[in-house]
Amino acid sequence: MSDTQTERHHEPLIEDRLGTRARVYGSERALLVGIHDGRTDEQAAFGELESLANTAGISTVAILSQSRRRPDPATFVGRGKVDEVKAAAAELGADAIVFNDELSPAQARNLEEAIGRKVIDRTQLILDIFAQRAATKEARLQVELAQLRYLLPRLRGWGAALTRVGGGAAGGVGTRGPGETQLELDRNKINRRIHTLEKRLVKATAEREIRRRRRLKSELPRIALVGYTNGGKSTLLNRLCDADAFVEDKLFATLDAVVRRGTVGHGRVALFADTVGFIRDLPHHLVPAFAATLEAAQQADLLLHVVDVGKPEWEEDHRIVMEILEREVFHGRDDRPATITVLNKVDLRPDGAPDGIDEIAVSALEGLHLDRLRERIASLVYPEDRAVAFLFPLHAVHRLGSLTTSGRARILRYTEAAAHVEASVTTAEWDALCREGARLIASDAFPAAGP
């Protein structure tokens, strides 16, 4: 382990001493370990775990898997596999062992004592990524709160061993931590910090509510992009809104909700909210860290469920997102917004869009079929808009200014007395145009009207 890492392990602050095992560092090398019960796609599960590790900044040296129906209550994997992990870690020079599931406090303690290296579970890895990427004040508070709540039941056995480097430190791995008095002091300190964070979050939530009310005053439709992590939501937002939201080919590149204005069909404008991606087996206690995302989806007029069909397991990703929306976002509500399933990254499929899917297939990166998506969005968030062709008196053409400026109307040609116009308008707008002298030429929505 490097000198920098050694310094981190020996910093005297209690937060570092208690948090060392819950952190990963960019120069660490990880051995990935998990069990395979035959019910899930093992390759996809470990591929995702490796992506999580890469996103957190640590490299993977090897993957070890064990077939068993349920985890061992003491060590998660069997005793023989623990010995195998220990030997592989020593041979490959792994700094940390990353498990593809959440470990109980007892399992984590037993594994670390047996293997002699830092043990991290999937939840810790996700929390670390959240901590690295949280940008807003509320997101940082939510992530720290989740980390401390995760840490609290795991304090016993984490004490002085946290200041040791691997298994070669003085005293050996598995020696007793600080005494009960120190442990209680640590718990009290963390409980006080949790209480402080909870109070700060109340204020941060109130500030977010103020921002939400301001957006509601705009009366623009609200559209939330949801989906599995790294599915291309931010790239699609940038295309639809001509925006510059952060894009990276890593999991959880977006953690905070990003809201931008964008045009939809017929020159209409809407608010688009980019949200944090979901992930399989999302621990329930991490849900509060998704607060802004959940709110954006709950209050949306329309959801764009972005699915990466370039992945072999895209159908499973789609199912997972729908389950999380049902369980964590809408809780069985009947008044949920309409949803458009956007099949993204069709440019990565040699056969094009999947068969039997009656949705919009696009490539946000290449800009394919986005006009079709905009038209579908407009039909749902502006359902009263109707296409109409009409003649409009020349002396009143200036009355078309707002429609032509927004792109919702265009003048095709002029005659001696009138302009030939095509537009997309609501019933109320058409009635107003008729009062100004509009004469209908063609429409499948409005009856012939006007003088």
Side-chain angles (χ1 to χ4, degrees), residues 80-405:
K81 182 60 69 172
V82 172
D83 293 337
E84 182 182 342
V85 170
K86 181 177 181 178
E91 180 180 352
L92 298 172
D95 304 298
I97 315 299
V98 180
F99 279 77
N100 195 18
D101 210 324
E102 183 170 321
L103 302 174
S104 70
Q107 287 172 333
R109 182 171 62 250
N110 294 337
L111 285 165
E112 191 159 281
E113 290 176 352
I115 298 173
R117 278 171 170 76
K118 181 167 64 176
V119 172
I120 301 169
D121 66 15
R122 188 171 180 271
T123 299
Q124 288 172 266
L125 201 56
I126 294 173
L127 280 170
D128 191 86
I129 294 170
F130 278 23
Q132 292 179 32
R133 293 178 176 265
T136 65
K137 177 176 68 176
E138 183 181 8
R140 289 193 293 268
L141 292 173
Q142 289 282 15
V143 171
E144 184 181 354
L145 184 61
Q147 287 178 313
L148 291 177
R149 285 174 172 166
Y150 180 86
L151 172 63
L152 195 57
R154 291 164 170 80
L155 285 185
R156 185 179 295 278
W158 277 32
L162 298 183
T163 64
R164 298 191 174 89
V165 183
V173 173
T175 56
R176 296 183 61 181
E180 193 67 23
T181 301
Q182 181 63 56
L183 188 62
E184 289 304 317
L185 288 172
D186 294 343
R187 283 177 176 158
N188 290 337
K189 186 178 181 68
I190 290 178
N191 276 318
R192 287 195 301 271
R193 180 60 178 167
I194 286 175
H195 183 63
T196 299
L197 290 172
E198 289 173 338
K199 289 195 297 184
R200 290 182 181 176
L201 274 169
V202 170
K203 182 179 179 181
T205 302
E207 292 172 352
R208 174 158 47 89
E209 176 65 16
I210 292 173
R211 294 193 298 271
R212 183 186 72 84
R213 289 176 181 174
R214 287 174 181 165
R215 287 197 295 269
L216 289 177
K217 288 181 180 179
S218 72
E219 298 183 353
L220 291 176
R222 302 176 303 280
I223 302 169
L225 284 71
V226 300
Y228 207 81
T229 183
N230 206 28
K233 296 183 297 300
S234 297
T235 301
L236 182 59
L237 177 90
N238 288 341
R239 282 284 188 178
L240 293 174
C241 303
D242 192 22
D244 57 354
F246 178 70
V247 175
E248 188 177 13
D249 187 19
K250 288 186 177 181
L251 306 187
F252 301 117
T254 301
L255 182 56
D256 305 294
V258 176
V259 180
R260 297 287 187 272
R261 289 167 59 101
T263 57
V264 294
H266 310 302
R268 288 292 198 178
V269 177
L271 293 177
F272 289 83
D274 187 14
T275 64
V276 62
F278 295 127
I279 196 168
R280 71 185 72 228
D281 300 323
L282 177 67
H284 181 74
H285 55 272
L286 293 186
V287 170
F290 288 73
T293 287
L294 302 185
E295 183 181 88
Q298 289 167 343
Q299 298 170 351
D301 299 299
L302 175 68
L303 297 182
L304 299 186
H305 180 179
V306 183
V307 184
D308 177 3
V309 294
K311 294 173 61 178
E313 64 274 15
W314 69 268
E315 291 177 294
E316 177 69 5
D317 290 354
H318 178 275
R319 181 190 64 79
I320 289 168
V321 171
M322 295 303 293
E323 286 183 356
I324 293 175
L325 288 172
E326 175 69 25
R327 183 178 68 249
E328 305 291 357
V329 180
F330 298 114
H331 313 291
R333 282 171 34 193
D334 293 329
D335 59 338
R336 64 189 60 189
T339 301
I340 299 176
T341 301
V342 182
L343 306 179
N344 190 30
K345 306 187 184 182
V346 292
D347 54 307
L348 301 181
R349 294 177 60 94
D351 55 346
D355 293 332
I357 301 295
D358 184 23
E359 296 296 348
I360 302 293
V362 306
S363 170
L365 184 64
E366 301 294 334
L368 297 176
H369 310 311
L370 296 185
D371 286 343
R372 290 175 52 200
L373 176 58
R374 288 188 177 97
E375 293 294 331
R376 178 74 71 87
I377 292 171
S379 70
L380 292 174
V381 298
Y382 289 104
E384 295 185 359
D385 281 10
R386 297 293 184 269
V388 61
F390 58 95
L391 294 176
F392 202 67
L394 290 180
H395 67 79
V397 165
H398 64 281
R399 301 286 188 184
L400 299 174
S402 61
L403 290 175
T404 55
T405 300

